[in-house]
Amino acid sequence: MMLKNPATKYRPFAPVRLQDRTWPDATITQPPVWCSVDLRDGNQSLIEPMDVERKLRMFQTLVDIGFKEIEIGFPSASQVEFDFARKLIEDGLIPDDVTVQVLTQAREHLVRRTFEALQGARRAIVHLYNATAPVMRNVVLGMNEDEIVELASSNARLFQEIAAQHPGTQWVFQYSPEMYSDTELEFSRRVIDAVTDVWQPTPDNKCIINLPTTVEHSTPNIFADMVEWTHRHIQRRDSIILSVHPHNDRGTGTATAELALMAGADRLEGCLFGNGERTGNLDLVNIALNMYVQGVDPQLDFSDIDAIRSTVEHCNQLPVHPRHPYVGDLVFTSFSGSHQDAIKKAFSARKDSDIWDMPYLPIDPKDLGRSYEAVIRVNSQSGKGGISYLLESEYKLVLPRRLQIEFSQVVQKAMDAEGTEMQARHLWDIFQREYHLAESAPSYQLEGDGAQTGITASVRKNGSSVTIEGQGSGPIDAFIGALSKASGREIKVLDYAEHAIGEGANAQAIAYVDVSVDGQRVWGVGQNPNIVTASIKAILSGAERAGIDLTRLQPTTIVSA
């Protein structure tokens, strides 16, 4: 039960009282040094950590986006982490302009194992950390301040010793006073200065000092004061890349990072869409696009943000929320009729060369590879909502989100024409008619050896029938090939979903297919007791909706190799 007087249990975070702070007047005019920690901090936070396939896919995505520093793992933590680092190096998968980073605790055998994992790397960041906060010193570690300083210093010396044995790699040293956000500023400075006193960085050979909000306890302005104080007071500042690693316990990770940059930080660590332990890490996409809409090139490319989201969801096996900034399915959607009216009028008045100044849209969706279709959705506030809810509750249809968007536009046109409110039965009639659910199922035969499937299908429409044949990696792929050849159109399946309706002998399978026909995207829907038949019907549904005349298909045959 929540306390009536929480002050009896919790204490407010003490302010820094930096009276001459300068960060409130600063502006962000250039991007920081970006470091993705998706493959380490993000990975260790997952319910099921990534396997090698997912790790490689995530790594390549990060490279394609433009990250030049990527933390690839914690090699001393497990054999999988160690082997992944070796695979990237031995298989030559690290581009010349990308530096990999690894993390190690301040323990000698772990440090040695970490350097072993990086042998042969062209350039690598080795990241050392140890806890510095009072609760860790007094309760967890049982060490005093002098012992903490010696722990950090001795491992910093070990870094130098091992690095000197491998001169073929360009080594960059990084140190984090873990729980910096809970550590006394004077003591964190003492530890940092002790480490840099060992490493002796220079302006031409800098080290990285990373300041993590391991747990967010303060408002972002207080953390900004902490960063500015450290920025001013640590030794060898001109030889240090000052980095921050915000977490999101208070939900202010992005603000914390932005104010830290204004306070003197040079570098940011975080994850795509904010994945990370507890409430997550800094959302690098969020902050990069915040810069973009202020006219600052973040030097990271999110031109196909839906593809990036798909990769992240696959690798993390976690969904991205529909309201997530910039990428969620609903973030460019205004449900209010007055909002939509303003957006439509602004679009009509806008010229391509105009500065982007649109009501309710902080960024042009097209810059991120998104369309404007979601912008014109309406809901029950304008008399056209609850469509997907009614279809699910009354007819057990679980429409994919993008199909919901498409069908809502179909319903909107019908409602505008009829001028009346529609009940579930009216929506179902429109749905059946729009997606050709009453069409008879094509007959077909399948054959194959497992690697390749052949299909012979009889497509019937308005009394005419044509036989088409094709081959592919499965029944659907084979049918797509056959239909593409028979229609002379390029057909692709971009997304697919299916589920059952009912149980037992009366169960029906329903398939939803996002089809591209010569680049035009439409959805098709098919229903049948057999899932393959339902899928083929869905493809035909999409093909017809994209303008393919099934009565004009040309017969095709399989050409043997």
Side-chain angles (χ1 to χ4, degrees), residues 164-407:
Q165 299 168 7
H166 302 281
T169 296
Q170 182 184 351
W171 299 104
V172 179
F173 297 157
Q174 175 171 330
Y175 174 69
S176 288
E178 191 199 15
M179 299 185 74
Y180 164 85
S181 51
D182 294 293
T183 303
E184 312 93 328
L185 285 174
E186 289 286 356
F187 182 61
S188 64
R189 176 179 67 173
R190 181 185 170 196
V191 180
I192 291 167
D193 287 347
V195 169
T196 61
D197 187 52
V198 172
W199 286 342
Q200 289 293 310
T202 67
D204 294 327
N205 187 26
K206 295 183 179 183
C207 71
I208 302 169
I209 296 298
N210 189 53
L211 309 177
T213 55
T214 308
V215 179
E216 268 196 327
H217 286 306
S218 72
T219 51
N221 61 301
I222 292 178
F223 186 75
D225 281 349
M226 296 174 68
V227 171
E228 182 163 343
W229 188 96
T230 302
H231 165 64
R232 292 187 194 179
H233 289 89
I234 56 174
Q235 297 175 11
R236 307 172 187 89
R237 180 63 183 93
D238 65 344
S239 302
I240 289 171
I241 298 169
L242 195 62
S243 177
V244 293
H245 181 117
H247 279 253
N248 198 44
D249 299 273
R250 293 170 55 90
T252 58
T254 297
T256 294
E258 290 178 327
L259 298 191
L261 290 177
M262 294 159 63
D266 309 304
R267 181 179 184 267
L268 295 178
E269 292 188 346
C271 292
L272 298 177
F273 310 123
N275 181 51
E277 293 187 285
R278 304 184 309 278
T279 56
N281 291 318
L282 167 66
D283 181 348
L284 295 179
V285 182
N286 192 169
I287 192 169
L289 292 177
N290 282 357
M291 294 179 193
Y292 180 80
V293 298
Q294 295 294 307
V296 176
D297 178 7
Q299 298 177 12
L300 298 175
D301 187 1
F302 299 109
S303 295
D304 191 351
I305 202 166
D306 285 339
I308 295 170
R309 178 184 64 182
S310 176
T311 292
V312 171
E313 290 180 328
H314 169 77
C315 294
N316 292 342
Q317 300 183 74
L318 292 171
V320 174
H321 196 279
R323 300 288 184 190
H324 203 98
Y326 296 109
V327 68
D329 272 336
L330 298 178
V331 297
F332 300 129
T333 301
S334 289
F335 287 107
S336 163
S338 62
H339 288 195
Q340 294 202 350
D341 182 63
I343 291 169
K344 290 177 182 177
K345 289 178 179 176
F347 269 127
S348 297
R350 186 177 182 276
K351 300 180 178 65
D352 289 341
S353 59
D354 290 349
I355 290 291
W356 185 259
D357 184 18
M358 294 287 291
Y360 311 113
L361 289 173
I363 191 173
D364 187 346
K366 287 190 174 180
D367 288 359
L368 306 179
R370 303 283 289 270
S371 71
Y372 292 142
E373 62 180 353
V375 174
I376 62 171
R377 283 184 67 186
V378 294
N379 71 359
S380 57
Q381 294 190 39
S382 47
K384 304 175 178 71
I387 295 169
S388 58
Y389 171 80
L390 289 173
L391 287 176
E392 181 172 356
S393 61
E394 297 293 330
Y395 296 96
K396 311 307 178 187
L397 299 185
V398 184
L399 307 185
R401 188 172 301 281
R402 291 176 181 81
L403 176 53
Q404 293 177 28
I405 295 170
E406 181 186 273
F407 185 56

Side-chain angles (χ1 to χ4, degrees), residues 467-498:
T467 299
I468 62 176
E469 297 180 354
Q471 285 185 331
S473 58
I476 306 308
D477 189 44
F479 187 75
I480 287 287
L483 187 61
S484 295
K485 186 174 182 181
S487 64
R489 309 281 289 276
E490 184 183 31
I491 304 172
K492 297 180 181 178
V493 172
L494 303 180
D495 199 2
Y496 174 89
E498 56 89 15

